[in-house]
Amino acid sequence: MSATTAPPPAPAPAPQTQAPRIGGWIGAATSTDHKRIGLNMAACSFVFFLAGGAFALLMRTQLAQPNMQFVSDDTYNQLFTMHGSTMIYLFVTPMAIALAMYLVPLQIGASAVAAPRFALAGFWTWLSGGLVMQSGWLVGDGAGRAGWFSYTPLSNGTNTPGVGQDLWTIGVILAATGMTVMAGCITATIARRRAPGMSLLRMPVFTWTELVSMLMVVGSFPVLILAMALLYLDRHGGHIYSGFNGSIDYQDLFWFFGHPVVYVMFFPYLGAAAEAIATSSRKRWFGYVPFVGSIMMFAALSMAVWSHHMFTTGGVTNQYFAFTSTLLVVPAGIEYFDAVATMIGGSLVLRASMLFGIAFFVQFLIGGLSGIFIASPVLDYHAEDSYIIVAHFHYTLFAGSVFGFFAGVYHWFPKVTGAHLREGLGKLHLALLMIGTNVTFFPMFFLGEYGMSRRISRYSTHPGWGTTNLIETIGAGVIALAILAFLANVAVSLRRRIPAGEDPWEGHTLEWATSSPPPAYNFVRPLPPIHSYAPLLDLRHEAEDRAREAAGGGVGA
Amino acid sequence: MRGGAIPLVAWGTILLVLYIVHAIWNGRTVPTIATGFAVLAIYGFGACVWILGRDTLRRGPPAARSEAEAWPSASLGAVMAGLSFACILFGVVWSNFLVYFGGAMLLLSLGRLGVEVRSEYASKRHAQEEMSGR
């Protein structure tokens, strides 16, 4: 395809020549513009989110009452496997990468992503992986059905025969490969393509969260690819994970990926919520350096806690992993302190993005606090494989990502489309999502305490089980309504556009210093001087100081 | 030791410290080979960052660059490469034909990428000549 030349971002960009751009579907599919790749990935992963949500609704319908026969046991196994796999490999993690692909070059003042062809190839590899994984629904023996973790020996060729599980395994390899390549491109962009003046400690909070996430992807996803490649060989007569030690080896490999990915699914949304909160508080993010240190500590610890998922196997050193898991409280506490301190003394504007940001911290708190208890092996033995664990990880993975994601959507939608989302519909969306989330997931703590195990498709009558499950199913329906409200909001906002302008929120970071949506190569005008992680806020403060001086008040008067 | 390698060194050091703390506290160690490999891999990655790109280590903000850069606006080769890799793995499950087809497509895509990169270099040279002539 044609090549174009563009200067790097600089205070005064030199003229650039551009080849004619290809429009239509082919242009969108082959574009190496980081914004187009990011949008394509976001759109595809949102479609996967809708599919994963539909699987969840089918599961919740099956569990609504004792002894339901809505789906067969085998179909239920496929549903919970594909629900988890779709959400983790095809929605939450790739959406974090899509946000980084679109926003990080803009936030650091870069004209393009590093190695754009690799990024594009990574996107298509990831998408192919998603489609291969979902294609399991079309084969005779159904889709993957050994859980999103596919422990051995459950997932070996004897216990889970059939092509569907093979397609799942190959799908995971492809999706993880694509995401690793894209994460490498984003990391390289941050390392090599920052604008003049943008030192590491002047990068926006969101960019830092993405950098740390992408480092975790690059560090841990190759282990998943290896584990899955060996699993494929094991399923076809390789006997790689045989015996007790083989199963423990598989779990070690899997969870070495599986725990860092929890933070890959959290940090970018934390960053999005932080940007929304700081902008809507009209204050810079409080405690920037400790925050950066805390997410780096989080990332480092994420590689040292994986076996807390394996406490009850008897094959790991529980004390060590309980110690490192409990240490996670320290960086998490710093992040919460920073969020609250940013809002204290700010001029809060309670728009939808801000409310989603606050909701993100409130909802994740429940997941985080319950995590402290199950980081203790003694309590984990009690809670293992019960609905307490399901409640905990949905409060961390669903509440800890989706609320932050929507905070980001409401914050950056005007930048991406040039149009505002409707605030009223946004607040309705938030209310429904809050109600739905808590009605669905909070009762699961009780259900676990009543003794209900995970991954069972039917249950006989037990005191409290039927009613609690019914409440959860109703809650899942409310979440679906919330998503419909969001889709309606997007449709209405794009159809009857309310122009947003370049900087509708008085943003702090460089993406607000260009048009909405941004042009090819991002910045046409010279970039503002970068003296901190909130350069546009600095500009505004300087202008206010000058105005005060001109009025005779003097700086700081 | 500055800039981009610092997070990696910090990361490796935290692992090492945790290992030592645990050994003292518990009287026995977690698997030494696995931990040692993890620490060395992270330190090694930091060393690679240091060796490959001094820019990533330089203290302070990046300096302005004045030379022209070439960027592709679209790449059919990259799309084909991604799809052909997927085709090969899909073929591993379904049939050898798809493996061969994917392999052929991968070769074609590499050729296409070569053409694209050449065009990019030519474009860059042209822009540099224009800039120096101005």
Side-chain angles (χ1 to χ4, degrees):
Chain A
M1 287 288 144
S2 53
T4 64
T5 59
Q16 53 185 309
T17 57
Q18 288 186 17
R21 303 182 77 77
I22 305 159
W25 284 93
I26 295 176
T30 60
S31 172
T32 47
D33 184 345
H34 69 95
K35 299 182 290 296
R36 172 49 60 191
I37 299 172
L39 279 179
N40 287 350
M41 191 163 194
C44 293
S45 60
F46 198 81
V47 170
F48 283 127
F49 169 65
L50 297 179
F55 301 154
L57 285 177
L58 292 173
M59 286 157 60
R60 285 302 337 157
T61 307
Q62 166 70 12
L63 293 172
Q65 289 289 293
N67 297 312
M68 283 278 278
Q69 298 287 347
F70 182 67
V71 293
S72 69
D73 294 350
D74 189 51
T75 305
Y76 185 86
N77 289 345
Q78 293 172 45
L79 284 172
F80 80 69
T81 299
M82 294 304 287
H83 165 70
S85 306
T86 303
M87 290 303 193
I88 289 169
Y89 302 117
L90 305 180
F91 168 58
V92 188
T93 314
M95 186 61 87
I97 293 173
L99 289 177
M101 189 56 74
Y102 192 99
L103 290 165
V104 163
L106 286 164
Q107 286 206 326
I108 61 173
S111 53
V113 70
R117 289 192 185 88
F118 274 105
L120 183 62
F123 163 69
W124 281 101
T125 307
W126 165 80
L127 181 60
S128 306
L131 296 175
V132 167
M133 192 191 290
Q134 300 295 338
S135 71
W137 291 109
L138 304 176
V139 299
D141 50 9
R145 54 189 185 283
W148 78 275
F149 35 77
S150 280
Y151 286 159
T152 59
L154 175 64
S155 60
N156 68 22
T158 311
N159 295 317
T160 310
V163 175
Q165 186 66 29
D166 284 338
L167 289 171
W168 181 90
T169 311
I170 295 295
V172 173
I173 292 174
L174 285 169
T177 305
M179 287 190 283
T180 308
V181 170
M182 294 180 87
C185 295
I186 294 160
T187 309
T189 306
I190 294 171
R192 302 297 301 249
R193 305 213 55 81
R194 281 172 283 130
M198 179 72 74
S199 64
L200 282 175
L201 283 178
R202 289 179 192 165
M203 293 197 310
V205 168
F206 175 76
T207 296
W208 259 110
T209 57
E210 287 285 7
L211 172 61
V212 169
S213 302
M214 296 307 112
L215 282 174
M216 284 190 285
V217 170
V218 171
S220 67
F221 278 41
V223 180
L224 173 72
I225 296 166
L226 172 74
M228 289 299 142
L230 294 178
L231 177 63
Y232 187 85
L233 295 176
D234 185 88
R235 286 175 53 76
H236 293 273
H239 300 294
I240 291 166
Y241 298 122
S242 50
F244 173 74
N245 285 336
S247 298
I248 296 294
D249 289 344
Y250 176 82
Q251 289 194 39
D252 273 323
L253 286 174
F254 182 83
W255 287 115
F256 187 78
F257 142 82
H259 203 80
V261 80
V262 171
Y263 301 122
V264 174
M265 293 188 283
F266 169 62
F267 283 155
Y269 304 109
L270 167 70
E275 294 281 1
I277 286 175
T279 305
S280 296
S281 301
R282 298 172 188 274
K283 267 178 75 184
R284 67 186 68 232
W285 182 252
F286 182 86
Y288 174 80
V289 174
F291 177 83
V292 169
S294 77
I295 56 173
M296 279 165 48
M297 183 180 173
F298 237 129
L301 284 172
S302 80
M303 300 280 185
V305 299
W306 76 89
S307 284
H308 71 212
H309 296 272
M310 302 160 61
F311 279 155
T312 57
T313 62
V316 297
T317 314
N318 285 1
Q319 259 181 317
Y320 175 79
F321 288 103
F323 172 61
T324 51
S325 303
T326 309
L327 272 182
L328 287 169
V329 174
V330 178
I334 292 172
E335 283 149 25
Y336 270 84
F337 180 81
D338 284 354
V340 173
T342 301
M343 286 185 275
I344 291 174
S347 318
L348 306 191
V349 186
L350 295 177
R351 52 176 81 104
S353 58
M354 171 72 155
L355 293 171
F356 266 105
I358 296 169
F360 165 84
F361 279 99
V362 172
Q363 295 291 267
F364 182 77
L365 188 63
I366 301 171
L369 290 177
S370 57
I372 297 170
F373 295 108
I374 53 177
S376 160
V378 178
L379 295 173
D380 188 64
Y381 269 88
H382 175 67
E384 178 69 9
D385 276 338
S386 76
Y387 260 82
I388 292 175
I389 303 294
V390 183
H392 160 69
F393 72 68
H394 276 93
Y395 268 107
T396 52
L397 294 187
F398 181 82
S401 59
V402 170
F403 282 89
F405 163 66
F406 283 122
V409 168
Y410 282 90
H411 185 62
W412 283 303
F413 190 87
K415 176 52 59 186
V416 174
T417 63
H420 276 292
L421 281 168
R422 300 295 194 272
E423 278 292 308
L425 273 172
K427 286 169 183 168
L428 173 69
H429 169 205
L430 171 70
L432 287 171
L433 196 62
M434 281 286 276
I435 294 166
T437 300
N438 290 293
V439 171
T440 307
F441 301 122
F442 204 81
M444 288 182 181
F445 286 115
F446 300 110
L447 203 52
E449 191 53 32
Y450 299 155
M452 184 164 170
S453 297
R454 301 167 65 179
R455 309 180 196 117
I456 54 170
S457 58
R458 274 174 294 121
Y459 53 92
S460 51
T461 310
H462 283 276
W465 286 25
T467 312
T468 314
N469 270 300
L470 183 61
I471 291 169
E472 288 168 11
T473 303
I474 292 167
V478 177
I479 293 176
L481 285 178
I483 300 305
L484 286 178
F486 169 68
L487 291 174
N489 197 352
V490 171
V492 169
S493 302
L494 289 178
R495 213 176 167 82
R496 296 180 191 159
R497 298 169 70 89
I498 302 174
E502 198 167 272
D503 185 9
W505 313 130
E506 296 192 341
H508 297 181
T509 44
L510 288 182
E511 75 270 28
W512 303 106
T514 187
S515 62
S516 303
Y521 305 110
N522 297 342
F523 299 96
V524 177
R525 296 195 310 269
L527 290 171
I530 301 161
H531 300 304
S532 79
Y533 57 94
L536 298 194
L537 190 66
D538 293 341
L539 270 187
R540 242 172 261 129
H541 285 172
E542 282 167 23
E544 284 166 14
D545 288 344
R546 275 198 301 274
R548 266 199 294 272
E549 273 179 37
V555 177
Chain B
M1 191 56 68
R2 299 177 296 188
I6 289 174
L8 293 160
V9 173
W11 189 344
T13 307
I14 287 177
L15 271 186
L16 200 60
V17 168
L18 285 171
Y19 173 81
I20 295 165
V21 166
H22 179 262
I24 295 168
W25 176 38
N26 203 27
R28 60 193 172 89
T29 61
V30 289
T32 307
I33 295 173
T35 311
F37 175 76
V39 171
L40 281 178
I42 295 166
Y43 279 152
F45 190 29
C48 286
V49 169
W50 180 62
I51 291 163
L52 290 175
R54 299 263 168 166
D55 272 8
T56 59
L57 297 181
R58 194 173 45 76
R59 194 176 180 82
R65 281 173 289 187
S66 55
E67 76 277 17
E69 288 179 305
W71 290 99
S73 57
S75 174
L76 183 62
V79 175
M80 283 170 65
L83 291 177
S84 55
F85 179 58
C87 188
I88 291 169
L89 288 196
F90 194 55
V92 169
V93 177
W94 282 114
S95 78
N96 286 342
F97 164 74
L98 287 173
V99 177
Y100 303 137
F101 180 77
M105 201 160 90
L106 187 61
L107 286 177
L108 276 176
S109 67
L110 291 176
R112 176 72 216 174
L113 281 171
V115 171
E116 289 176 11
V117 171
R118 265 186 60 189
S119 149
E120 195 177 300
Y121 277 123
S123 185
K124 183 177 174 179
R125 245 193 334 270
H126 179 67
Q128 270 169 342
E129 283 165 10
E130 264 188 7
M131 283 173 79
S132 58
R134 242 187 310 196

